[in-house]
Amino acid sequence: MTGNDRMMEKTAGDSVLKVAMPKGRIYKQASKLFREAGLLIPEDFDDSRKLIIPVPEANMEFIMAKPVDVPTYVEYGVADIGIVGKDVLMEENKDVYELIDLGIARCRMSVIGLPGWKPVMYPRVATKYPSVASQYFREGGQQVEVIKLNGSIELAPLIGLADRIVDMVETGQTLKENGLVEMETLFQVTSRLIANRVSYRLKNQAIQELCDRLGQRIAARG
Amino acid sequence: MSKPKVFEKPIGVRDYLPNAVAKLRRIEQNVLDCMRRWGYEQIITPTMEYYDTVGVASSTSDQKLFKLLDPRGTTIVLRSEMTSPIARVAASLLKERPFPLRLSYHAGVFRAFEDEAGRDAEFFQTGVELIGDSSSEADAEVIALAIASLRAAGVPAFKVAVGHVGFLNGLFQEALPGRTEEQEALKECLLQRDHVGYRQTLSRLSLDDQVRSELEGILRLRGGAEVCEQALGLSASREAQAAIRQLCEVWDVLGAYGVQEHVLIDLTMIGDFSYYTGINFEGYASHLGFPVCSGGRYDNLLSQFGRPAAATGFALKTTRILEVAEDDTPAEGGRTLIVYTHEQRREALQEAERLRAEGLLVVTEALDAASPEWGGLRERAARVETFEHRGADYDSLLVYGVGEEARP
């Protein structure tokens, strides 16, 4: 029970809203959006290496997490809410509330290959998103071998590991530079605000208020 | 997978060590006792059931059932919840008993392995079923009992959110008459807790602007009695209106029980549409990321066992409650150690028996008078103080040996 006791201790500040924030690319845009919505996040935290950042002015606490882990923290309730890309939500399939589309970190999930791609006998697809890719091809009636890679996915078709890849495309610049083309789009990706099932009810007011403030700001951005 | 190491267990199952068991038993006793005082009689059903009867009727999805084959090739399931086994009993062994039936249970249930997210493959549930009463009073009784049970279990702070599947059913049918596919798509979004997807789906449908904003507005229908008022204005559909009226009635009855402070009305709370038929609810404790109880009305289940009847009930997730419950029962006092040498074995063991009959906890241990511990224990027996011996704490010590007897 010691792990649990520790958890109780950490969550003792009942009214504080714990927010799982993705480190890196999305954080910059998310913290900007939060500031525009009037939530006072000190600027110097942007480059901090601290993992837990209290923001008493907004009655919040930021937990700096690796983006793919955000839904996990929120599902277990160690964070009340979190910010995460739709790509991660689709891949991780966690039981959390998806409350609002923040409209930031906009990109798309696509099937990519070399120009002039033709169906092959044993199709292989390399991706960082194996469950998204498997589901997409299954629903399209294609049986493919999905290969999970952890980075530089664009390499796979260039060196013959796979004939196609499924990956996120933001501007398409990397693809162009490597002579690859986008073949199909699976879905559009933006960052979402997610909430834990219990927090959504027990901290309803704080969460709803935050949603409303962010929602107004997002609407104003257009 | 490589061969398991000797200390490993299958994923999702647990051992309970003495402290945890003591706490679990106290919770179980307190909760079952609470249920008994509300007139619910405890029953026990088998761990295994037929897939084609209880397995199919169960609200657990097929891929989460543990399936086995018996020697004749019939598919067996490990029970995944207790509601369908109890429905089977109510419609067979208890079929001559007039309604309403009030039954309670405490049982381990099984769900096929899931890798993570605190979802155990085997866990305890404690709950009740109230069968053969379709009234709002019955809905409220079960919710009030759920609250009383959470209290009895020692859950420090909790809320119960109450919804009604009929409201959304009625609202969607009115807003999208005959467009079942679109209704299903919207319900699926809500079931997946995907509010973004819900709004996106709405924006794609061809709808009157006012209807669209009303349908968007339901995401805010959470709170107290005022939510019912707002909801009444939202839909003229007979089903939705009936659902809200029922919810208001239940709210009033809960007021009479004096438990409204624990209750939230939440019309976005969606249970499984194919299973629940009316009021449904979920309990949440602070400090725990997963619900601690869930329940609701399931009026279609009993007919699958040949005795159609309205029914409602709930299950506490006792294994999770174990993690948050405050345990104010003091550790049991009165542990006595009796050490003896073989000459006085009879006296020692008879004294132990006498003390046990008085309700004390007594551990006996034979020692050789020549052993190095003997002198120390003899000496200690003269003092009255708690002490530790071989990793356990004792409050008193009796020593029987070599013709003399020492008592504290």
Side-chain angles (χ1 to χ4, degrees):
Chain A
M1 291 288 118
T2 49
N4 190 53
D5 290 344
R6 216 174 306 133
M7 195 179 91
M8 302 273 284
E9 209 173 286
K10 260 171 78 175
T11 53
D14 243 352
S15 61
V16 176
L17 201 60
K18 288 191 293 300
V19 190
M21 277 287 197
K23 284 189 280 197
R25 186 176 66 102
I26 302 177
Y27 176 79
K28 289 239 149 64
Q29 300 184 40
S31 60
K32 183 156 172 269
L33 179 67
F34 270 57
R35 281 189 198 108
E36 285 178 14
L39 295 151
L40 304 163
I41 307 168
E43 302 264 354
D44 52 344
F45 284 140
D46 288 11
D47 303 308
S48 165
R49 280 170 182 267
K50 279 178 76 172
L51 295 175
I52 298 175
I53 300 174
V55 189
E57 300 84 352
N59 208 13
M60 286 187 199
E61 183 178 279
F62 284 8
I63 297 160
M64 305 305 289
K66 198 174 150 118
V68 292
D69 295 333
V70 167
T72 307
Y73 290 116
V74 174
E75 185 179 40
Y76 275 86
V78 290
D80 297 307
I81 57 174
I83 290 176
V84 64
K86 182 68 178 169
D87 54 321
V88 174
L89 278 181
M90 296 287 280
E91 178 67 20
E92 298 290 315
N93 199 18
K94 300 285 186 195
D95 192 3
V96 293
Y97 278 95
E98 188 179 328
L99 295 179
I100 48 177
D101 183 346
L102 298 173
I104 55 171
R106 199 175 286 277
C107 48
R108 54 195 182 268
M109 185 73 77
S110 296
V111 181
I112 296 151
L114 287 163
W117 175 87
K118 288 206 177 58
V120 297
M121 180 91 89
Y122 303 108
R124 286 201 300 229
V125 173
T127 183
K128 246 197 281 191
Y129 303 90
S131 103
V132 164
S134 303
Q135 198 191 345
Y136 175 75
F137 287 108
R138 263 182 80 196
E139 278 168 10
Q142 293 182 59
Q143 188 161 6
V144 301
E145 180 185 339
V146 172
I147 302 170
K148 154 106 189 182
L149 291 181
N150 294 301
S152 303
I153 316 295
E154 297 82 4
L155 259 179
L158 301 177
I159 59 175
L161 175 63
D163 56 297
R164 283 168 295 176
I165 61 175
V166 168
D167 203 13
M168 296 247 281
V169 182
E170 199 176 344
T171 58
Q173 193 56 34
T174 316
L175 301 185
K176 205 176 281 172
E177 282 174 18
N178 288 290
L180 293 167
V181 291
E182 231 176 313
M183 300 159 67
E184 291 151 59
T185 301
L186 277 63
F187 49 84
Q188 299 294 325
V189 174
T190 44
S191 293
R192 309 292 160 93
L193 185 76
I194 61 172
N196 172 266
R197 286 174 70 183
V198 175
S199 306
Y200 181 62
R201 300 258 150 54
L202 295 185
K203 298 188 178 175
N204 171 25
Q205 214 177 341
I207 293 176
Q208 190 60 53
E209 235 177 76
L210 178 66
C211 282
D212 291 347
R213 284 171 89 161
L214 290 172
Q216 280 167 14
R217 191 55 224 150
I218 294 159
R221 275 180 167 195
Chain B
M1 197 190 130
S2 61
K3 202 176 152 203
K5 304 245 190 264
V6 286
F7 64 88
E8 282 180 316
K9 307 178 287 279
I11 292 166
V13 297
R14 307 187 187 190
D15 297 309
Y16 294 85
L17 295 179
N19 275 338
V21 173
K23 190 174 175 189
L24 185 67
R25 289 283 174 256
R26 277 193 295 270
I27 293 173
E28 175 194 330
Q29 276 309 321
N30 291 343
V31 171
L32 284 171
D33 197 49
C34 169
M35 291 165 172
R36 190 183 56 78
R37 279 180 273 125
W38 285 58
Y40 288 75
E41 298 171 287
Q42 191 184 356
I43 71 167
I44 296 179
T45 68
T47 307
M48 283 176 275
E49 297 273 359
Y50 283 124
Y51 169 74
D52 288 310
T53 59
V54 170
V56 170
S58 154
S59 59
T60 312
S61 68
D62 211 65
Q63 72 265 23
K64 285 190 189 164
L65 291 173
F66 259 112
K67 300 189 196 82
L68 321 164
L69 288 181
D70 76 359
R72 286 179 303 174
T74 315
T75 309
I76 304 284
V77 292
L78 299 185
R79 61 174 173 229
S80 59
E81 40 85 26
M82 284 295 290
T83 305
S84 356
I86 287 178
R88 174 181 58 70
V89 172
S92 54
L93 293 170
L94 295 178
K95 74 166 181 283
E96 305 303 333
R97 282 261 296 265
F99 289 140
L101 296 174
R102 287 186 167 82
L103 299 170
S104 70
Y105 59 85
H106 172 80
V109 298
F110 304 84
R111 306 276 165 92
F113 301 125
E114 291 192 67
D115 295 343
E116 45 184 342
R119 298 192 188 101
D120 290 337
E122 177 185 13
F123 53 93
F124 296 108
Q125 286 192 341
T126 319
V128 301
E129 311 297 343
L130 171 50
I131 301 169
D133 187 340
S134 61
S135 69
S136 299
E137 302 280 334
D139 286 310
E141 172 176 326
V142 163
I143 294 169
L145 178 52
I147 290 168
S149 302
L150 286 168
R151 259 197 218 132
V155 178
F158 60 85
K159 291 273 183 211
V160 174
V162 182
H164 194 305
V165 294
F167 172 69
L168 287 182
N169 277 335
L171 182 66
F172 286 153
Q173 264 158 34
E174 184 194 40
L176 301 156
R179 295 151 76 176
T180 26
E181 253 178 53
E182 296 172 357
Q183 292 177 24
E184 287 309 313
L186 290 173
K187 283 186 200 170
E188 186 57 28
C189 288
L190 293 177
L191 200 56
Q192 298 292 328
R193 310 183 214 291
D194 179 3
H195 293 184
V196 174
Y198 177 80
R199 281 189 221 102
Q200 285 173 347
T201 310
L202 273 182
S203 68
R204 278 198 296 271
L205 299 180
S206 65
L207 277 175
D208 190 73
D209 275 348
Q210 196 193 330
V211 176
R212 195 193 316 275
S213 75
E214 275 174 13
L215 289 181
E216 264 191 41
I218 65 160
L219 296 176
R220 289 170 170 276
L221 291 178
R222 299 184 280 140
E226 76 284 357
V227 170
C228 289
E229 309 269 313
Q230 292 166 25
L232 272 178
L234 266 184
S235 172
S237 131
R238 195 182 301 163
E239 193 185 352
Q241 292 272 332
I244 298 300
R245 268 196 304 276
Q246 244 178 50
L247 210 49
C248 293
E249 245 174 82
V250 168
W251 175 260
D252 287 343
V253 184
L254 290 172
Y257 275 109
V259 295
Q260 274 174 351
E261 51 169 329
H262 293 289
V263 183
L264 307 166
I265 301 284
D266 189 332
L267 289 168
T268 66
M269 200 193 51
I270 316 256
D272 185 348
F273 278 98
S274 60
Y275 186 77
Y276 287 120
T277 56
I279 297 271
N280 62 331
F281 59 97
E282 244 178 8
Y284 309 97
S286 32
H287 306 312
L288 198 56
F290 303 92
V292 287
C293 103
S294 67
R297 180 163 285 289
Y298 53 96
D299 289 347
N300 297 333
L301 179 68
L302 269 285
S303 64
Q304 297 186 50
F305 293 93
R307 191 187 183 191
T312 174
F314 70 85
L316 298 192
K317 326 273 181 204
T318 316
T319 313
R320 285 183 192 150
I321 288 175
L322 187 59
E323 294 178 20
V324 286
E326 279 168 356
D327 199 4
D328 47 12
T329 323
E332 48 185 325
R335 288 175 60 99
T336 301
L337 176 67
I338 296 184
V339 291
Y340 59 93
T341 60
H342 70 276
E343 294 90 347
Q344 292 220 335
R345 181 190 294 132
R346 177 177 298 271
E347 291 81 354
L349 296 183
Q350 279 176 359
E351 177 64 4
E353 206 40 43
R354 197 184 64 74
L355 292 174
R356 284 176 187 140
E358 281 177 14
L360 292 184
L361 185 159
V362 184
V363 176
T364 60
E365 184 178 319
L367 267 185
D368 190 336
S371 76
E373 284 160 307
W374 178 249
L377 282 165
R378 281 274 304 272
E379 203 177 294
R380 184 184 291 285
R383 301 197 296 268
V384 184
E385 59 184 14
T386 57
F387 65 101
E388 200 218 322
H389 180 67
R390 300 200 204 288
D393 290 326
Y394 296 94
D395 304 295
S396 63
L397 170 67
L398 301 179
V399 177
Y400 287 81
V402 277
E404 357 172 4
E405 180 178 319
R407 279 175 179 273

